[in-house]
Amino acid sequence: MSISSSKPTDGPRFQTLLQALAAAPPERPFVTMWAGEDQLSTVTFGEFTKLAQTQAQLFASKGLRARDTVIIIMPQGIVQMAAFVGAMMLGAVPAILAYPNFKVDPAKYRFGLAGVSANLKAKLIVLDSAFPEDVLSHVKVGEGSQLVRSVDSAGAGATSGLPPVPCDPHALAFIQHSAGTTGLQKGVALSHSAVLTQLHHLTGALHVTQSDRVYSWLPLYHDMGLIACFMLPLAYHLPVVMQSPTDWVIQPGTMLQLISDHQCTLAWVPNFTLQFLARRVHEDDRPEFELSSLRAIVNCSEPVRAQSMDEFLAAYPVNGVGAHVLQSSYGMAENVFAITQSIVDGKTSPQRVTVDPDRLRQEHVAAPLIDPGANGFSFVSSGRCLPGNEVRVVAEAGHDLADGHIGEIYIRSDSLFDGYYNRPDLTEKVLLNGWYKTGDLGFQLEGELYVIGRKKDLIIVAGKNIYPQDVEEIVCAHPSIHDGRAVAMGVYNPDLGTEDIVVVAEVDKEEQLADSLNIERAVRNAIVAELGVAARAVYLKPPRWIVKSTAGKPARSTTRDKLMAEHPELAPDPAGDAGSKST
């Protein structure tokens, strides 16, 4: 069974993103960038266009031509954004990659950077003047490629000599990357038409008007930041208030302060943000934020967790945030961005369902509980399909599953990618008769899509499906464990012929490791009490031990490899089939 939207829509307003930018009122504010106390920069659409043209002139002087690829590795900000659009003005195809920072594991960053730059075969690799010299050797500069230091074009002047702005809607606009287990290796090349089609559907579902103002700390090398918080404001002429992910992590309350100061109406966040804001912003500081301007904070990029949403609402009861403000979506780079969106109408919250935990684990069915007081698992819907989008939930054998049955999510849409850039080997594995096999597990109920997690991360213990996010949520509830710094994994046990649950978690402070035995015991007991299964091992580690992805989230596979290297006794028997999974 598949679900889709039948709501009619009109065509995109412009043929290309550059035409959309050119039509923007030049005096209208576009990007406001926060870089610390009393460090606020704003450019209008007209000023931004001139900055982009200056970058285009620089790139043209270096020999950049239409259809050439361009890698941009710069700190988040206006110059980075101008470089991106400047490359598009020449008909070139830019790709923003993550800038190195203290939150990302250096070895993982270098590996991913080398893989992506080798795959893109870029004509230009654009860096800022402060790019670390010790990382340069991992930027693969092929024959005919060159490194370019971007200029701060704050004093942009004449822009004569540029070629006409490209106007082919089917030409490639840019490449965005879908994170994988071996770094950002999967490039998704998108046309102007695909991006504008996606944005048209999304803005319709969100009822976007010229009164809207977007807030974002999201990195522009991921689809949620690039599409929702850069391309959408650019194409629909909306102001956007931004800060870097690093600044937000260090001072999470600044997100709410910027929303309050600038009366922002829309924001997109990954699920962990809500708990982070509830736990990491001091209670005494919360009343100062005036958040009644918000129409929607869209929870996207991770499985949507009821506890995270409830915890945020409980922490900010007097700030003007109603339950209807916390909305949900399901998206990915391969579809430009969103596939589903919950209803944004100023009164409706995303649908929830509480299901029987035993049937969920043993029968792989989300069976709603009749008794509202019964103990069960609560799931939050990611909404209904946007126009032009379809979803199926498919069994391992390839047939469609009925409502409530858990399987792999397949998607099809009018903005779906054609394949990974220069990676036909990866494309062949995920595209099937026009459908994209997402690798995500979920189920449908009454036209709503519920996303559970990644298929490859599923832990199967004696025939029971255990979702790692459930284990990690239990572990992180212990007061000594750092929020969001736990990874649960399945490790094959050849003696039992099934998987064991293994957990690695960071303590808040290194001195807490002295109490490891008591913390481990409490965590083990909590897992048994909540899930009815025991963990084989719980490893407590000091802060910053878990490997982080460029998105700032725990990198499961790399963390697993690190744990196995430190604890070789965990390594599964090579004769055992540790990779066999069924749904």
Side-chain angles (χ1 to χ4, degrees):
M1 176 183 177
S2 68
I3 57 175
S4 60
S5 172
S6 59
K7 180 181 176 181
T9 60
D10 300 323
R13 298 165 61 208
F14 302 102
Q15 287 193 308
T16 71
L17 291 160
L18 296 173
Q19 288 179 353
L21 175 62
E27 300 305 316
R28 184 170 174 79
F30 180 23
V31 183
T32 296
M33 190 73 198
W34 184 89
E37 300 299 331
D38 301 321
Q39 296 184 57
L40 204 65
S41 303
T42 299
V43 293
T44 65
F45 277 92
E47 291 167 339
F48 180 84
T49 299
K50 291 181 179 179
L51 298 179
Q53 289 170 335
T54 300
Q55 297 290 340
Q57 284 183 315
L58 169 65
F59 301 155
S61 71
K62 301 296 182 180
L64 188 67
R65 299 292 181 265
R67 294 182 294 278
D68 289 340
T69 52
V70 182
I71 291 175
I72 298 171
I73 314 176
M74 301 174 65
Q76 186 130 319
I78 294 170
V79 177
Q80 173 208 36
M81 299 165 77
F84 186 84
V85 173
M88 286 201 296
M89 285 177 169
L90 299 175
V93 184
I96 294 176
L97 302 187
Y99 197 79
N101 68 70
F102 72 96
K103 301 291 288 185
V104 179
D105 179 73
K108 181 177 175 63
Y109 178 82
R110 290 184 175 95
F111 180 78
L113 179 59
V116 172
S117 54
N119 181 62
L120 291 179
K121 300 177 176 60
K123 177 76 172 182
L124 296 182
I125 300 170
V126 185
L127 311 171
D128 73 314
S129 58
F131 190 84
E133 293 295 329
D134 63 325
V135 182
L136 272 178
S137 62
H138 297 276
V139 181
K140 298 298 182 183
V141 182
E143 184 178 351
S145 299
Q146 57 180 312
L147 293 172
V148 176
R149 299 287 183 174
S150 180
V151 295
D152 183 349
S153 47
T159 56
S160 59
L162 286 175
V165 172
C167 59
D168 180 1
H170 303 295
L172 293 185
F174 53 81
I175 297 171
Q176 62 180 357
H177 284 84
S178 177
T181 57
T182 54
L184 296 179
Q185 303 247 354
K186 298 184 292 185
V188 177
L190 300 171
S191 69
H192 290 269
S193 176
V195 176
L196 287 168
T197 296
Q198 159 74 197
L199 293 178
H200 182 66
H201 297 328
L202 183 59
T203 53
L206 295 171
H207 306 291
V208 167
T209 73
Q210 289 298 288
S211 298
D212 281 310
R213 184 185 298 266
V214 176
Y215 162 83
S216 177
W217 61 260
L218 301 169
L220 297 180
Y221 49 79
H222 284 169
D223 57 312
M224 187 160 51
L226 181 63
I227 303 301
C229 304
F230 182 9
M231 293 298 103
L232 189 156
L234 181 148
Y236 285 82
H237 310 154
L238 303 182
V240 55
V241 179
M242 303 183 77
Q243 62 182 142
S244 77
T246 303
D247 287 341
W248 174 74
V249 167
I250 294 173
Q251 301 179 72
T254 54
M255 168 181 171
L256 303 179
Q257 190 63 62
L258 287 169
I259 290 173
S260 179
D261 290 346
H262 296 271
Q263 293 295 281
C264 296
T265 60
L266 297 171
W268 283 259
V269 297
N271 182 80
F272 82 90
T273 304
L274 299 176
Q275 278 185 315
F276 200 80
L277 290 169
R279 300 178 185 182
R280 297 293 171 177
V281 177
H282 197 279
E283 188 174 358
D284 292 342
D285 296 332
R286 296 174 192 167
E288 69 185 68
F289 307 127
E290 170 50 57
L291 307 177
S292 60
S293 62
L294 282 167
R295 293 200 303 112
I297 299 177
V298 184
N299 189 336
C300 191
S301 170
E302 299 176 306
V304 180
R305 312 290 289 189
Q307 178 180 334
S308 302
M309 300 173 79
D310 292 343
E311 197 167 331
F312 176 83
L313 290 171
Y316 297 92
V318 297
N319 300 82
V321 182
H324 65 275
V325 170
L326 299 187
Q327 295 296 332
S328 59
S329 178
Y330 175 56
M332 61 192 62
E334 288 83 355
N335 196 54
V336 180
F337 177 44
I339 298 107
T340 66
Q341 175 61 54
S342 58
I343 297 172
V344 179
D345 61 3
K347 59 184 179 181
T348 305
S349 300
Q351 293 291 314
R352 297 189 183 194
V353 61
T354 301
V355 306
D356 184 328
D358 293 328
R359 294 195 65 187
L360 184 73
R361 300 187 196 109
Q362 297 174 15
E363 301 176 34
H364 321 318
V365 173
L369 290 172
I370 304 301
D371 179 5
N375 185 30
F377 282 171
S378 181
F379 291 101
V380 180
S381 167
S382 290
R384 295 175 177 268
C385 283
L386 293 174
N389 287 256
E390 297 178 79
V391 164
R392 298 163 56 199
V393 175
V394 180
E396 193 76 25
H399 60 274
D400 286 7
L401 292 168
D403 264 20
H405 288 256
I406 296 166
E408 184 176 1
I409 299 170
Y410 285 23
I411 66 168
R412 181 170 66 182
S413 81
D414 53 8
S415 61
L416 189 67
F417 79 140
D418 295 322
Y420 294 116
Y421 190 75
N422 287 339
R423 294 300 303 268
D425 55 327
L426 296 178
T427 300
E428 185 179 5
K429 295 177 182 179
V430 297
L431 287 180
L432 179 66
N433 300 324
W435 290 88
Y436 172 61
K437 302 159 64 175
T438 67
D440 290 328
L441 292 174
F443 61 93
Q444 302 173 58
L445 278 178
E446 300 178 351
E448 302 272 340
L449 178 67
Y450 296 78
V451 182
I452 295 178
R454 296 294 292 168
K455 180 179 177 181
K456 63 183 175 61
D457 296 328
L458 184 68
I459 305 169
I460 302 178
V461 181
K464 294 182 179 180
N465 280 9
I466 304 296
Y467 301 96
Q469 294 88 351
D470 295 329
V471 179
E472 292 156 4
E473 189 169 303
I474 294 167
V475 174
C476 288
H478 192 285
S480 297
I481 303 299
H482 191 96
D483 296 339
R485 298 294 187 271
V487 173
M489 63 194 78
V491 176
Y492 185 73
N493 186 327
D495 294 330
L496 299 178
T498 188
E499 287 186 316
D500 288 329
I501 297 173
V502 173
V503 177
V504 58
E506 292 178 6
V507 291
D508 260 329
K509 301 176 182 178
E510 190 161 0
E511 52 265 32
Q512 291 171 311
L513 291 174
D515 194 33
S516 289
L517 289 178
N518 288 327
I519 298 172
E520 289 174 17
R521 185 181 299 113
V523 166
R524 285 173 178 273
N525 291 340
I527 293 172
V528 171
E530 291 282 339
L531 301 179
V533 294
R536 169 180 165 186
V538 175
Y539 293 94
L540 299 182
K541 300 294 182 181
R544 299 189 183 178
W545 186 93
I546 287 175
V547 181
K548 305 289 288 298
S549 72
T550 53
K553 297 181 288 186
R556 292 183 183 276
S557 63
T558 317
T559 296
R560 179 191 180 100
D561 292 343
K562 184 176 180 179
L563 186 68
M564 293 293 181
E566 286 193 11
H567 300 276
E569 71 276 7
L570 282 175
D573 186 334
D577 182 14
S580 177
K581 304 273 188 186
S582 63
T583 304

